[in-house]
Amino acid sequence: MKKAIFILPLFLIFFTCAKFPILSDLVNNRIHVILKGTYESNTPYGWEPNVFMDDTLAAYTGAINTADAQSSVSMYIDISEIRLGTGKTGKPDNVTPDKYWIYFTPNREVFCSDNYANGNLNYKLLSCYNDHGDKNYAELFSSGFTYPAFDVPENTYNHLAIFFRKFIVGPSISYSDTASNTPVNQTATFDNRFINGINLMDSIIQYAASDTSKLKPLMFPLERTDLSLKIPSGRDPYVLEVRIFLKNLLMKHVIAHLGGNSTAGPTTFIGPSDWSVNHNSADLNLAYQMGGNVIFTARIYDPANVGSIAITDTEALPACKSYYAVVPSGSTFTGADLPYAATSRSGLTTLNAAGTISNLPPGNYDIYKTADRNLLTAAGLALGKDGYPEKVSNKCTTVTVTAGASISTDISGCITL
């Protein structure tokens, strides 16, 4: 009887002895997805001390029209996935989802201001705790969260969709009357735990006020079909940067009648500013629908083939959030959409501002200043602050960016905002 002799290949013996897996994933994804919750593409501001106040709060007294400190706000965001498609008008009705969408982000991701329900250590939020939701949250609103992703076939993708499952923000408080008697915390569920707050996805940011039949969801998915995202050929890595403007856009709102009941007291809640679509707080049907105030943009760049613009400016910083923004030269920029890239204005004194916009592919860029000087009311724009920098200067200058270089420009002569 012959005995069979098996000889392991040398590389398997080596890796086994070295305590590495015998077989490993030899595929390196080129794509690097960065998700940001900021207006800025780099160097974002810190959090505003207080949330902004909707103009309708002025009609109320007591705690109802008292500003909430940013430190008291909690936020829990659940995103199921991000998808890409090529269509410029969305997915055709006669095409199945698997034939249209590129499913390149396999993981559900959570972003939690706290890994425990209402800070109670006895009520752990398992998804937040196990998936480092608090760390994800911090990254989302600073340098950006690296969203796990698979490579995408080379193509031009016009359609990007972000599928929000839950978006809970607290506090949300109902009152028995307009004098703020008998306040009661409103609650929503996240990971089967009750959290003080309101799920904005139930209706508030999901549907536009004009969508009375609730036929067009705006957050599942939050989408655009005009992005022209070109996946480069070759083997070099590239970045897909997605920016959703949330940080420093939070506002305190009021709904005049809890649950649409005209005999009930008001409810306050924290949510995105109504900078684009005014919140009608008194209408029983429209008060719970203010979709259209959450916007995003996306861009692609090769980190080995980018430059930056270093901006100096002697204009005094205004008493509001202001930014430097760039768009590809010749593009129309009115401030109604997020710029291609942007940075906060910073400086050691109020008479000296500076900022650097980085990770810009080679090309020509127009520079603008933007600032938050207006508040949207039922009568239209009025002086005030709502978190959104809708005030846009004339074009300051045009700069040519080259790879591997930082181009300096002084825009001190740019028209004052």
Side-chain angles (χ1 to χ4, degrees):
M1 181 177 175
K2 295 183 178 180
K3 294 184 179 180
I5 299 176
F6 296 91
I7 300 176
L8 286 173
L10 182 59
F11 78 89
L12 290 183
I13 296 175
F14 173 79
F15 281 109
T16 304
C17 295
K19 298 182 180 180
F20 288 102
I22 293 179
L23 297 176
S24 62
D25 186 358
L26 300 179
V27 177
N28 292 316
N29 287 319
R30 297 174 59 212
I31 192 170
H32 183 63
V33 179
I34 300 178
L35 182 65
K36 300 184 178 185
T38 57
Y39 180 90
E40 305 94 318
S41 54
N42 56 272
T43 321
Y45 284 110
W47 285 97
E48 188 81 6
N50 295 317
V51 299
F52 296 97
M53 302 285 284
D54 191 17
D55 59 297
T56 55
L57 287 160
Y60 297 85
T61 59
I64 296 176
N65 67 356
T66 300
D68 286 57
Q70 188 68 60
S71 58
S72 70
V73 174
S74 58
M75 193 159 19
Y76 302 85
I77 302 172
D78 185 340
I79 297 178
S80 61
E81 61 181 317
I82 304 173
R83 299 179 190 174
L84 283 170
T86 58
K88 292 185 177 181
T89 57
K91 186 186 80 65
D93 293 336
N94 61 346
V95 177
T96 60
D98 61 308
K99 298 295 184 182
Y100 177 78
W101 290 113
I102 299 295
Y103 299 92
F104 69 108
T105 56
N107 297 347
R108 166 205 178 201
E109 298 294 344
V110 293
F111 306 87
C112 314
S113 53
D114 194 321
N115 288 340
Y116 299 87
N118 304 320
N120 189 332
L121 299 184
N122 293 319
Y123 295 97
K124 184 185 298 182
L125 299 170
L126 291 180
S127 292
C128 298
Y129 185 85
N130 294 335
D131 297 335
H132 310 289
D134 57 344
K135 179 175 178 290
N136 299 347
Y137 183 90
E139 292 176 351
L140 178 70
F141 295 116
S142 55
S143 59
F145 169 73
T146 299
Y147 207 113
F150 295 133
D151 272 341
V152 175
E154 179 186 345
N155 209 333
T156 297
Y157 297 92
N158 303 295
H159 194 176
L160 189 146
I162 308 165
F163 290 79
F164 285 81
R165 295 178 71 247
K166 286 199 173 183
F167 197 131
I168 298 174
V169 183
S172 175
I173 301 172
S174 63
Y175 297 91
S176 59
D177 56 40
T178 57
S180 71
N181 291 327
T182 319
V184 177
N185 283 325
Q186 298 297 292
T187 60
T189 58
F190 194 92
D191 273 355
N192 296 316
R193 299 287 190 189
F194 285 105
I195 295 173
N196 292 337
I198 188 170
N199 184 11
L200 302 177
M201 288 291 293
D202 283 344
S203 178
I204 291 175
I205 61 174
Q206 182 71 286
Y207 301 101
S210 59
D211 186 6
T212 55
S213 299
K214 297 183 178 180
L215 298 176
K216 175 61 177 175
L218 298 178
M219 294 293 291
F220 194 88
L222 175 65
E223 59 186 335
R224 286 182 61 171
T225 59
D226 60 346
L227 291 170
S228 298
L229 300 169
K230 185 176 181 180
I231 303 299
S233 60
R235 298 182 179 181
D236 291 339
Y238 62 91
V239 174
L240 169 58
E241 178 189 275
V242 181
R243 301 193 333 264
I244 310 167
F245 188 18
L246 295 171
K247 187 177 185 180
N248 291 322
L249 194 65
L250 297 181
M251 173 178 278
K252 184 175 182 178
H253 300 275
V254 63
I255 295 175
H257 308 288
L258 172 64
N261 182 354
S262 61
T263 63
T267 295
T268 62
F269 69 93
I270 308 296
S273 162
D274 62 347
W275 66 274
S276 177
V277 181
N278 189 54
H279 182 215
N280 190 331
S281 63
D283 189 302
L284 294 183
N285 297 314
L286 302 183
Y288 286 86
Q289 293 181 213
M290 52 182 293
N293 290 303
V294 178
I295 60 174
F296 80 97
T297 192
R299 64 192 185 109
I300 287 178
Y301 61 86
D302 176 354
N305 186 39
V306 292
S308 61
I309 303 174
I311 301 169
T312 56
D313 181 12
T314 57
E315 182 195 26
L317 293 170
C320 61
K321 289 286 186 291
S322 60
Y323 307 83
Y324 297 123
V326 299
V327 297
S329 184
S331 301
T332 300
F333 180 60
T334 64
D337 291 315
L338 296 184
Y340 179 81
T343 188
S344 56
R345 293 180 65 191
S346 60
L348 298 178
T349 73
T350 58
L351 296 178
N352 179 29
T356 297
I357 301 177
S358 58
N359 294 320
L360 296 174
N364 296 326
Y365 295 90
D366 296 336
I367 301 177
Y368 294 84
K369 296 180 189 178
T370 66
D372 174 22
R373 288 191 178 278
N374 296 119
L375 175 72
L376 187 60
T377 71
L381 286 177
L383 288 177
K385 292 186 289 185
D386 61 5
Y388 192 88
E390 58 278 288
K391 186 69 174 177
V392 179
S393 70
N394 291 335
K395 182 179 72 174
C396 297
T397 189
T398 299
V399 173
T400 299
V401 171
T402 57
S406 177
I407 307 302
S408 298
T409 184
D410 188 329
I411 60 170
S412 299
C414 190
I415 296 175
T416 303
L417 291 170

